[in-house]
Amino acid sequence: MYLQISFHENHRRFQRILYRFNINEPLQLYEMTRVPFGLRCSPYLALRTVRQLAADERARYPDAAAGAERDLYMDDLVCSCLTEQDAALLSNELIELFRAGGRFN
């Protein structure tokens, strides 16, 4: 999930890395463009992004937005539906909700 979330261009300078592939090469500057694994803030950034997406898209995907806010833990969604049809509809709506989050990439 983390690598699906990109940093705003103005914030990439805060995720800079100095690296060289060989000790004989000069150091090179790299900037992370996506939320990396392993940072203390990565889980927060991921869940906060999902909550914002749910709020932004609530009018188009009301059931999926409610489920994403209420039933999501990291990238696992756990909920139940009364019928298989309801489950299929919710699944499709969740897919569309998360697809809507990728429209700016």
Side-chain angles (χ1 to χ4, degrees), residues 50 53 68 72 77 93-103:
V50 169
L53 177 62
L72 190 72
L77 183 96
E93 195 171 300
L94 284 161
I95 289 168
E96 291 302 316
L97 169 71
F98 289 115
R99 187 173 284 146
R103 69 178 174 258

Side-chain angles (χ1 to χ4, degrees), residues 55-71:
D56 291 348
E57 299 294 334
R58 180 174 315 288
R60 290 175 52 196
Y61 309 108
D63 294 334
E69 288 181 335
R70 182 188 61 234
D71 302 325

Side-chain angles (χ1 to χ4, degrees), residues 20-37:
R20 61 180 162 209
F21 293 94
N22 183 326
I23 197 164
N24 298 322
E25 295 177 358
L27 287 172
Q28 295 183 27
L29 179 68
Y30 296 91
E31 289 183 349
M32 295 293 292
T33 60
R34 306 288 178 148
V35 173
F37 293 91

Side-chain angles (χ1 to χ4, degrees), residues 7 9-17 31-32 39:
F7 285 123
E9 194 170 326
N10 293 341
H11 297 167
R12 293 177 183 172
R13 63 190 171 111
F14 299 114
Q15 296 296 324
R16 289 186 175 159
I17 299 169
E31 289 183 349
M32 295 293 292
L39 294 182

